[in-house]
Amino acid sequence: MKIKWLGHATFLITSETGTRLITDPYATNDRIKYGEIRESADIVTVSHGHFDHNNVAAVTGNPEVVDEAAPTEVKGIKIEGIPAYHDTRQGAERGSNIIFCLAIDGMRVCHLGDLGHSLGDKEIAEIGKVDILLIPVGGFFTIDAGTATEICRQLAPKVIIPMHYKNNRCELPISGVDDFLKGKQGINKLNTSEAEFSMAELPGATQIFVLQPAL
Protein backbone atom coordinates (compact mmCIF):
# COMPACT_ATOMS: atom_id res chain seq x y z
CA MET A 1 0.00 0.00 0.00
CA LYS A 2 1.17 3.50 -0.84
CA ILE A 3 0.03 6.50 1.19
CA LYS A 4 0.59 9.92 -0.32
CA TRP A 5 -0.17 13.10 1.63
CA LEU A 6 -1.66 15.63 -0.75
CA GLY A 7 -2.08 18.15 2.08
CA HIS A 8 -4.32 19.05 5.03
CA ALA A 9 -6.41 15.90 5.75
CA THR A 10 -6.23 14.64 2.17
CA PHE A 11 -4.40 11.41 1.42
CA LEU A 12 -4.23 9.31 -1.71
CA ILE A 13 -4.09 5.64 -0.68
CA THR A 14 -3.26 3.14 -3.41
CA SER A 15 -3.70 -0.58 -2.78
CA GLU A 16 -1.46 -3.32 -4.14
CA THR A 17 -4.04 -3.97 -6.87
CA GLY A 18 -4.13 -0.31 -7.89
CA THR A 19 -7.40 0.76 -6.27
CA ARG A 20 -7.16 4.44 -5.39
CA LEU A 21 -8.89 6.05 -2.41
CA ILE A 22 -8.78 9.74 -1.49
CA THR A 23 -9.69 11.00 1.99
CA ASP A 24 -11.31 14.36 2.77
CA PRO A 25 -10.42 16.32 -0.41
CA TYR A 26 -9.86 19.98 0.41
CA ALA A 27 -10.77 23.15 -1.50
CA THR A 28 -8.31 26.02 -1.45
CA ASN A 29 -8.84 29.55 -0.18
CA ASP A 30 -6.69 32.40 1.15
CA ARG A 31 -5.55 30.30 4.13
CA ILE A 32 -5.43 26.83 2.60
CA LYS A 33 -2.82 27.24 -0.10
CA TYR A 34 -2.05 23.69 -1.10
CA GLY A 35 -2.17 23.05 -4.84
CA GLU A 36 -5.43 22.18 -6.57
CA ILE A 37 -6.31 18.48 -6.42
CA ARG A 38 -6.13 16.87 -9.85
CA GLU A 39 -5.95 13.21 -8.86
CA SER A 40 -8.31 10.45 -9.97
CA ALA A 41 -9.71 7.88 -7.55
CA ASP A 42 -12.07 4.95 -7.30
CA ILE A 43 -13.30 5.93 -3.83
CA VAL A 44 -13.54 9.19 -1.87
CA THR A 45 -14.28 9.30 1.85
CA VAL A 46 -15.71 12.47 3.40
CA SER A 47 -15.66 12.81 7.17
CA HIS A 48 -17.89 15.90 7.28
CA GLY A 49 -19.30 18.66 5.12
CA HIS A 50 -16.83 21.52 5.55
CA PHE A 51 -15.21 22.93 2.40
CA ASP A 52 -11.69 21.86 3.34
CA HIS A 53 -12.79 18.20 3.59
CA ASN A 54 -15.60 17.65 1.06
CA ASN A 55 -14.35 18.92 -2.30
CA VAL A 56 -15.40 15.74 -4.10
CA ALA A 57 -15.79 17.61 -7.39
CA ALA A 58 -12.00 18.04 -7.58
CA VAL A 59 -11.45 14.27 -7.80
CA THR A 60 -11.68 12.79 -11.28
CA GLY A 61 -12.45 9.22 -12.30
CA ASN A 62 -16.11 9.12 -11.21
CA PRO A 63 -15.31 7.82 -7.71
CA GLU A 64 -17.80 6.25 -5.33
CA VAL A 65 -18.32 8.71 -2.48
CA VAL A 66 -18.57 7.36 1.06
CA ASP A 67 -19.86 10.02 3.44
CA GLU A 68 -21.93 7.97 5.86
CA ALA A 69 -20.97 5.74 8.77
CA ALA A 70 -22.71 2.60 7.47
CA PRO A 71 -20.18 -0.15 6.63
CA THR A 72 -19.58 -0.78 2.96
CA GLU A 73 -17.13 -2.41 0.58
CA VAL A 74 -15.88 -0.89 -2.65
CA LYS A 75 -13.48 -2.69 -5.01
CA GLY A 76 -12.22 -4.97 -2.27
CA ILE A 77 -11.71 -2.21 0.31
CA LYS A 78 -13.86 -2.60 3.42
CA ILE A 79 -14.86 0.73 4.94
CA GLU A 80 -16.31 1.20 8.42
CA GLY A 81 -17.47 4.55 9.78
CA ILE A 82 -17.58 5.44 13.46
CA PRO A 83 -19.75 8.46 14.33
CA ALA A 84 -17.91 11.18 16.25
CA TYR A 85 -17.94 14.96 16.63
CA HIS A 86 -16.03 17.98 15.39
CA ASP A 87 -15.92 19.54 18.88
CA THR A 88 -16.13 18.73 22.58
CA ARG A 89 -19.86 19.56 22.82
CA GLN A 90 -21.30 16.66 20.82
CA GLY A 91 -21.36 18.67 17.62
CA ALA A 92 -23.04 21.78 19.04
CA GLU A 93 -20.20 24.00 17.79
CA ARG A 94 -18.99 22.43 14.52
CA GLY A 95 -21.20 19.45 13.82
CA SER A 96 -20.53 15.77 13.35
CA ASN A 97 -17.47 13.89 12.10
CA ILE A 98 -16.95 10.36 10.84
CA ILE A 99 -13.89 8.30 11.72
CA PHE A 100 -13.18 5.97 8.82
CA CYS A 101 -11.45 2.60 9.25
CA LEU A 102 -10.22 1.08 6.00
CA ALA A 103 -9.19 -2.56 5.47
CA ILE A 104 -6.58 -2.49 2.71
CA ASP A 105 -3.95 -5.12 1.83
CA GLY A 106 -4.41 -6.90 5.16
CA MET A 107 -3.85 -3.68 7.14
CA ARG A 108 -6.29 -1.45 9.00
CA VAL A 109 -5.94 2.26 8.29
CA CYS A 110 -7.82 4.73 10.49
CA HIS A 111 -8.47 8.31 9.32
CA LEU A 112 -9.83 10.42 12.17
CA GLY A 113 -11.13 13.26 10.01
CA ASP A 114 -11.66 16.46 11.99
CA LEU A 115 -12.02 14.71 15.32
CA GLY A 116 -12.61 17.34 17.99
CA HIS A 117 -12.66 15.36 21.22
CA SER A 118 -11.09 12.55 23.22
CA LEU A 119 -12.15 8.98 22.46
CA GLY A 120 -14.32 7.05 24.88
CA ASP A 121 -14.19 3.31 25.54
CA LYS A 122 -17.05 2.66 23.11
CA GLU A 123 -15.33 4.48 20.25
CA ILE A 124 -12.00 2.81 20.96
CA ALA A 125 -13.69 -0.60 20.89
CA GLU A 126 -15.46 0.23 17.61
CA ILE A 127 -12.22 1.38 16.00
CA GLY A 128 -10.43 -1.75 17.17
CA LYS A 129 -6.97 -2.72 15.98
CA VAL A 130 -5.18 0.01 14.03
CA ASP A 131 -2.06 -0.51 11.95
CA ILE A 132 -1.80 2.98 10.42
CA LEU A 133 -3.32 6.05 12.06
CA LEU A 134 -3.89 9.31 10.18
CA ILE A 135 -4.45 11.84 12.95
CA PRO A 136 -5.08 15.61 13.16
CA VAL A 137 -2.69 17.34 15.57
CA GLY A 138 -3.10 21.09 15.02
CA GLY A 139 -5.76 21.87 17.60
CA PHE A 140 -8.39 24.64 17.61
CA PHE A 141 -10.63 23.06 14.94
CA THR A 142 -9.59 19.53 15.94
CA ILE A 143 -7.86 17.72 18.78
CA ASP A 144 -4.60 19.28 19.88
CA ALA A 145 -1.18 17.71 20.35
CA GLY A 146 -1.91 16.51 23.87
CA THR A 147 -5.20 14.83 23.02
CA ALA A 148 -3.68 13.37 19.85
CA THR A 149 -0.86 11.89 21.94
CA GLU A 150 -3.35 10.26 24.30
CA ILE A 151 -5.35 8.80 21.39
CA CYS A 152 -2.17 7.36 19.92
CA ARG A 153 -1.48 5.71 23.27
CA GLN A 154 -5.00 4.28 23.40
CA LEU A 155 -5.05 2.93 19.85
CA ALA A 156 -1.38 1.82 19.79
CA PRO A 157 -0.93 1.90 15.99
CA LYS A 158 2.24 0.66 14.33
CA VAL A 159 2.43 3.78 12.14
CA ILE A 160 1.31 7.33 12.92
CA ILE A 161 1.01 9.95 10.18
CA PRO A 162 0.10 13.43 11.49
CA MET A 163 -2.13 15.72 9.43
CA HIS A 164 -4.19 18.91 9.66
CA TYR A 165 -1.50 21.19 11.08
CA LYS A 166 -0.06 24.60 10.25
CA ASN A 167 2.75 24.90 7.70
CA ASN A 168 3.77 27.22 4.89
CA ARG A 169 0.77 26.08 2.83
CA CYS A 170 -1.78 26.07 5.62
CA GLU A 171 -2.29 29.35 7.44
CA LEU A 172 -5.23 28.37 9.62
CA PRO A 173 -4.91 29.45 13.29
CA ILE A 174 -3.67 26.02 14.36
CA SER A 175 -0.37 24.65 15.64
CA GLY A 176 2.43 23.11 13.64
CA VAL A 177 3.47 19.48 13.84
CA ASP A 178 6.39 20.09 16.24
CA ASP A 179 4.07 20.41 19.24
CA PHE A 180 2.91 16.85 18.61
CA LEU A 181 6.41 15.50 17.94
CA LYS A 182 7.92 17.00 21.10
CA GLY A 183 9.37 14.34 23.39
CA LYS A 184 8.46 11.42 21.15
CA GLN A 185 10.69 8.70 19.77
CA GLY A 186 10.59 6.86 16.46
CA ILE A 187 10.18 10.01 14.36
CA ASN A 188 10.86 9.72 10.63
CA LYS A 189 10.85 13.08 8.84
CA LEU A 190 10.71 12.23 5.17
CA ASN A 191 11.62 14.47 2.24
CA THR A 192 8.81 12.98 0.22
CA SER A 193 5.02 13.03 0.20
CA GLU A 194 4.65 9.25 -0.08
CA ALA A 195 5.48 6.17 1.96
CA GLU A 196 4.89 2.50 1.23
CA PHE A 197 3.72 -0.05 3.80
CA SER A 198 3.07 -3.77 3.89
CA MET A 199 1.74 -6.01 6.63
CA ALA A 200 4.97 -8.02 6.68
CA GLU A 201 7.13 -4.94 7.12
CA LEU A 202 5.18 -2.91 9.65
CA PRO A 203 7.46 -1.70 12.47
CA GLY A 204 7.52 -3.60 15.74
CA ALA A 205 7.41 -0.41 17.81
CA THR A 206 5.30 2.60 16.89
CA GLN A 207 6.89 4.88 14.31
CA ILE A 208 5.81 8.39 13.31
CA PHE A 209 6.13 9.35 9.65
CA VAL A 210 6.07 13.07 8.86
CA LEU A 211 5.37 13.48 5.16
CA GLN A 212 5.80 16.53 2.95
CA PRO A 213 2.64 17.75 1.20
CA ALA A 214 2.53 16.76 -2.44
CA LEU A 215 0.52 19.81 -3.53
Side-chain angles (χ1 to χ4, degrees), residues 202-215:
L202 286 173
T206 300
Q207 298 284 305
I208 301 170
F209 289 81
V210 181
L211 302 177
Q212 301 300 313
L215 301 177

Side-chain angles (χ1 to χ4, degrees), residues 19-211:
T19 300
R20 293 161 63 90
L21 181 149
I22 286 180
T23 67
D24 280 14
Y26 59 80
T28 59
N29 68 4
D30 60 337
R31 292 191 293 180
I32 296 176
K33 300 179 178 180
Y34 298 105
E36 298 287 346
I37 296 172
R38 293 187 174 88
E39 298 280 0
S40 65
D42 302 290
I43 310 163
V44 175
T45 60
V46 177
S47 65
H48 64 291
H50 291 168
F51 80 97
D52 54 337
H53 293 259
N54 73 344
N55 188 18
V56 175
V59 182
T60 61
N62 193 30
E64 182 161 340
V65 178
V66 180
D67 57 5
E68 297 181 352
T72 188
E73 183 171 343
V74 184
K75 293 196 171 183
I77 295 179
K78 293 181 179 179
I79 304 171
E80 300 173 30
I82 293 96
Y85 299 104
H86 201 328
D87 54 63
T88 58
R89 298 180 58 205
Q90 296 189 315
E93 295 178 17
R94 298 189 180 93
S96 61
N97 175 72
I98 300 173
I99 297 168
F100 281 110
C101 294
L102 317 168
I104 308 174
D105 298 340
M107 291 171 281
R108 190 167 172 87
V109 180
C110 179
H111 185 285
L112 293 178
D114 261 8
L115 181 66
H117 57 88
S118 301
L119 294 179
D121 292 342
K122 181 176 182 294
E123 292 153 331
I124 292 169
E126 288 177 334
I127 291 170
K129 175 180 177 287
V130 176
D131 295 303
I132 301 173
L133 181 64
L134 311 177
I135 184 167
V137 300
F140 191 74
F141 299 110
T142 69
I143 54 175
D144 60 15
T147 303
T149 297
E150 175 60 15
I151 288 173
C152 290
R153 185 195 66 78
Q154 292 170 312
L155 297 179
K158 297 295 186 182
V159 171
I160 297 167
I161 303 178
M163 65 177 185
H164 207 285
Y165 55 82
K166 188 172 186 175
N167 54 48
N168 61 4
R169 300 180 209 181
C170 178
E171 298 179 3
L172 293 173
I174 57 180
S175 297
V177 72
D178 287 344
D179 286 354
F180 173 71
L181 299 178
K182 193 176 300 179
K184 293 183 173 61
Q185 298 181 343
I187 297 171
N188 304 273
K189 291 187 175 182
L190 306 185
N191 292 319
T192 179
S193 61
E194 188 173 79
E196 189 166 355
F197 303 97
S198 69
M199 191 65 190
E201 296 180 353
L202 286 173
T206 300
Q207 298 284 305
I208 301 170
F209 289 81
V210 181
L211 302 177

